[in-house]
Amino acid sequence: MTTERTFSIIKPDAVAAKQTGAIIQMILDAGLTVKAMKMIRLTRPQAEGFYAVHKERPFFKDLVEYMISGPVVVSCLEGDNAIIRYRELMGATDPAKAAEGTIRKKFGKSIEANACHGSDGPDTAKVEMSYFFSSLEIVGE
Ligand code: RTP
Ligand code: MG
């Protein structure tokens, strides 16, 4: 087993719907540890930069509008195989296709407003954590 870290966003729809606490509880109940957490409102350049990988996709403009529509809660999570375990806990991108017991099944409103983000691999996890947190803000660094 490998202890690793991943980056999470509780997205604007979930924060607005007062689901932040329930989602954090699901993360903790899954055995992941929170190493850093803060609420922020993304600027347009921050959201465009964060999702730059999708900039040619048809949904990019909408995605950026959605991500800046309200505050989000960003965090660094740690645990054995945290990246894949958090992706499993989130469920499929489209909440309608997400498995029972996942965050997106429970709280996702649409394929866009799908409650949470999680890094998809070790390289993106590193980049995404450093996009929002300095090492001084991460517990135990
Ligand atoms: P994320 O990056 O947010 O963790 O989500 P993901 O890997 O499951 O999905 P990805 O393909 O990376 O898409 C990023 C986010 O863009 C929005 N999206 N909208 N309208 C659409 O067809 C569409 N497809 C994706 C979602 O908010 C998705 O999480
Ligand atoms: Mg993704």
Side-chain angles (χ1 to χ4, degrees):
M1 283 196 283
T2 332
T3 300
E4 59 184 9
R5 287 180 181 170
T6 191
F7 175 74
S8 158
I9 303 179
I10 301 176
K11 293 182 176 179
D13 62 288
V15 174
K18 305 182 184 177
Q19 292 159 341
T20 303
I23 292 172
I24 295 170
Q25 192 63 53
M26 285 177 78
I27 289 168
L28 297 174
D29 288 345
L32 295 166
T33 306
V34 177
K35 303 300 284 187
M37 180 170 277
K38 60 190 172 189
M39 180 179 278
I40 56 172
R41 178 120 186 207
L42 293 179
T43 64
R44 187 178 297 277
Q46 278 173 334
E48 287 172 349
F50 184 77
Y51 276 123
V53 64
H54 294 311
K55 67 176 184 296
E56 306 303 333
R57 306 284 283 276
F59 60 80
F60 180 70
K61 206 164 167 279
D62 273 2
L63 174 60
V64 169
E65 292 299 332
Y66 158 61
M67 290 300 293
I68 67 174
S69 66
V72 298
V73 174
V74 293
S75 59
C76 296
L77 308 177
E78 187 178 87
D80 292 327
N81 301 309
I83 295 170
I84 186 80
R85 280 174 57 212
Y86 186 50
R87 295 283 292 186
E88 283 170 7
L89 179 64
M90 290 197 305
T93 306
D94 183 353
K97 297 182 181 146
E100 286 298 332
T102 61
I103 294 170
R104 284 166 167 171
K105 174 74 178 181
K106 203 159 182 199
F107 299 118
K109 288 117 199 125
S110 69
I111 191 167
E112 178 179 81
N114 59 3
C116 53
H117 160 82
S119 308
D120 58 13
D123 295 342
T124 45
K126 265 207 182 88
V127 170
E128 290 173 2
M129 280 187 280
S130 60
Y131 198 78
F132 290 104
F133 293 101
S134 76
S135 60
L136 282 175
E137 294 177 293
I138 302 176
V139 175
E141 286 222 326

